[in-house]
Amino acid sequence: MKNLYSLVFICFISMQLYSQRTETWSNQIFQIDTLSAKLSYPWEITYGPDDSLWVTEARNYNVVKIHPHTGGKRTILSLANKKINFNRPDKTGGQWPQGGLMGLAIHPQFNSGKPFVYLSYVYRFVNCQGGNNGCFFRTRIVRYTYNFINGSLGNETIMLDNLPGSNDHNSGRMAIGPDL
């Protein structure tokens, strides 16, 4: 019973602290600033070890680096030539597949000998079934090497290929876990 009272007391104190913090925060004024405009459906935004924002553009198939203070941006990789057979007539006006260039993960030892960036993207239209049975695509996971001299990604290595996907809700978030 003593443990129950302790738990209730801790919850009460936590609620009081949270409500006080909320009141303090509610008096703050927030301002939204646009850091960079004209991005084509940004999918992944990763804060890189080089103090830049690394962004994937889902529909343009570009990887863009953005300076977090000035908003200056530059394309460091274009994979537009990797989209195979996407120009087909359909009721969505050719906007499929949902996803495009998706996830991005930067190797934890990026600045110390492993300048690798991993990407996932939908790369090939397979077919459509009749009626509302959907359309099917393939996804690829690749590794690129960052060139510190010219600031670009190159040397594609395919890590996983031919992963099944569809015209709806493809997912490609990436994270690098511990080496077991």
Side-chain angles (χ1 to χ4, degrees):
M1 193 68 154
K2 183 178 177 184
N3 289 338
L4 178 62
Y5 288 127
S6 297
L7 179 62
V8 170
F9 179 73
I10 289 170
C11 288
F12 176 76
I13 294 298
S14 296
M15 288 171 49
Q16 290 298 315
L17 291 173
Y18 178 77
S19 66
Q20 289 173 2
R21 185 184 311 165
T22 303
E23 287 177 17
T24 303
W25 290 352
S26 66
N27 295 329
Q28 300 295 319
I29 298 174
F30 294 94
Q31 179 178 339
I32 297 174
D33 289 329
T34 301
L35 184 60
S36 184
K38 298 183 182 176
L39 292 169
S40 177
Y41 295 85
W43 184 285
E44 181 80 43
I45 301 172
T46 300
Y47 191 76
D50 59 351
D51 294 328
S52 292
L53 297 174
W54 294 60
V55 180
T56 61
E57 293 182 299
R59 295 206 178 148
N60 278 352
Y61 279 65
N62 288 330
V63 177
V64 178
K65 280 180 63 174
I66 301 173
H67 190 283
H69 302 293
T70 66
K73 67 180 178 181
R74 62 188 174 86
T75 300
I76 61 171
L77 178 68
S78 175
L79 296 176
N81 63 342
K82 300 288 185 177
K83 298 185 288 184
I84 301 171
N85 197 21
F86 283 5
N87 298 324
R88 57 178 181 63
D90 60 30
K91 63 184 177 184
T92 66
Q95 297 302 319
W96 288 351
Q98 188 182 87
L101 176 56
M102 298 176 285
L104 177 145
I106 300 172
H107 196 283
Q109 296 171 355
F110 181 82
N111 286 328
S112 55
K114 295 186 179 179
F116 303 132
V117 176
Y118 299 86
L119 301 167
S120 62
Y121 61 90
V122 177
Y123 71 97
R124 186 175 63 216
F125 167 69
V126 178
N127 64 29
C128 288
Q129 303 294 319
N132 290 328
N133 294 322
C135 296
F136 299 93
F137 293 83
R138 294 290 184 245
T139 298
R140 180 177 281 160
I141 296 175
V142 294
R143 182 184 76 191
Y144 281 86
T145 302
Y146 185 72
N147 183 323
F148 288 95
I149 295 170
N150 66 17
S152 67
L153 292 171
N155 301 324
E156 179 186 68
T157 301
I158 297 172
M159 307 303 284
L160 289 171
D161 203 12
N162 214 26
L163 298 167
S166 73
N167 60 305
D168 197 23
H169 299 294
N170 289 297
S171 178
R173 292 282 185 223
M174 302 187 73
I176 297 176
D179 188 13
L180 301 177

